[in-house]
Amino acid sequence: MGQKVSPIGFRLVRRKKWLSTWFANKQEFGSIIGEDKKIRDYLITKPACQGASRFQIKRMSGKIEVTIHTARPGLVIGKKGAEIDVLKNDLRNLTGKEVWIEVEEIKRPDLDAKLVADGIAKQLERRIPFRRILKKAMQTTMDAGAAGIKVQVSGRIGGAEIARVEWYKEGRIPLHTLRADIDFSQGRAETTYGSIGVKVWINKGDEVLVAPKPAAGG
């Protein structure tokens, strides 16, 4: 039996950061996790957050700071900051707490697994042949400087009666190598003949290990 583990969870602390940063006691823990999920579910549905990859939530003394990582920061901020004010007010009403929103631009969207997966899903919904979509996405990501990429689609691909899994890989994807910076994400295409799952792994390169300098006088 294959034992699968999330490439993100596997690299937490060493290469990746938690998407939620806060401390809670046992009584509050469950309600705060539920509140984080509510915030993310709300933001995903907003047109202003189209092109957002992830939402980082930080809590400190009754205040919530939400950082939106997006390839289209202008869409989130809006004209003279109108959109971001709407998001702040809606989140304040949703949580009953003071909310700050920061926007961080993703400068290289072709190297972000979430944005690549969502792009593939949108094209599948437009009934473009899946092999063409996957090969184009792989080529674009490799041209952007990735060390490797693997893409996988599963479901009734092309409207076939029997669901199947197809995947393509280019370059290196060493999932067991902790120093490799592997970005992983999933997407879903809602087609007329059912849902098609999309998974994307992108290797952004290995961490360079710097040898410690000898102690002075040694």
Side-chain angles (χ1 to χ4, degrees):
M1 295 289 288
Q3 305 297 311
K4 306 278 190 305
V5 65
S6 165
I8 305 296
F10 192 48
R11 287 167 176 79
L12 273 175
V13 181
R14 182 180 173 90
R15 296 305 311 257
K16 307 285 180 186
K17 293 179 181 175
W18 292 96
L19 288 179
S20 292
T21 309
W22 41 263
F23 176 81
N25 57 36
K26 284 185 180 179
Q27 287 76 29
E28 296 174 333
F29 192 83
S31 61
I32 292 180
I33 282 185
E35 197 172 78
D36 280 7
K37 186 174 188 308
K38 268 190 203 171
I39 291 170
R40 290 196 174 96
D41 289 347
Y42 166 78
L43 289 172
I44 285 168
T45 61
K46 299 301 285 182
C49 293
Q50 296 300 311
S53 169
R54 61 191 180 278
F55 308 102
Q56 282 186 308
I57 298 172
K58 190 184 287 185
R59 293 170 182 268
M60 44 212 161
S61 62
K63 295 175 185 174
I64 303 173
E65 184 183 300
V66 181
T67 305
I68 301 172
H69 296 260
T70 177
R72 302 164 74 183
L75 200 62
V76 178
I77 295 164
K79 197 172 182 182
K80 295 182 181 176
E83 284 294 338
I84 208 164
D85 289 340
V86 170
L87 292 177
K88 275 183 192 174
N89 290 331
D90 288 351
L91 289 177
R92 195 176 293 125
N93 294 333
L94 184 72
T95 61
K97 296 170 186 170
E98 191 178 338
V99 179
W100 298 336
I101 294 181
E102 299 286 329
V103 180
E104 198 164 308
E105 184 182 4
I106 297 170
K107 292 192 166 55
R108 302 171 80 185
D110 292 326
L111 289 178
D112 190 286
K114 179 63 178 169
L115 298 181
V116 173
D118 286 347
I120 291 170
K122 282 175 187 169
Q123 291 179 76
L124 287 170
E125 287 172 354
R126 298 199 330 249
R127 297 193 178 188
I128 300 171
F130 78 95
R131 284 192 184 89
R132 189 196 304 168
I133 297 169
L134 299 186
K135 286 178 179 174
K136 187 180 177 185
M138 288 166 61
Q139 188 60 53
T140 309
T141 301
M142 292 301 286
D143 289 347
I149 178 172
K150 178 181 172 183
V151 288
Q152 176 181 301
V153 289
S154 56
R156 291 182 60 187
I157 304 165
E161 285 197 21
I162 298 175
R164 67 184 195 275
V165 177
E166 292 230 4
W167 59 270
Y168 294 92
K169 178 180 160 187
E170 193 170 332
R172 291 174 56 250
I173 300 288
L175 296 181
H176 287 189
T177 307
L178 275 172
R179 70 173 177 273
D181 187 2
I182 306 288
D183 192 11
F184 168 74
S185 192
Q186 304 177 70
R188 180 189 287 183
E190 300 293 353
T191 66
T192 52
Y193 38 81
S195 297
I196 292 180
V198 181
K199 289 184 179 180
V200 175
W201 295 259
I202 295 175
N203 178 12
K204 298 181 183 178
D206 288 357
E207 178 184 16
V208 179
L209 296 174
V210 180
K213 293 180 181 178

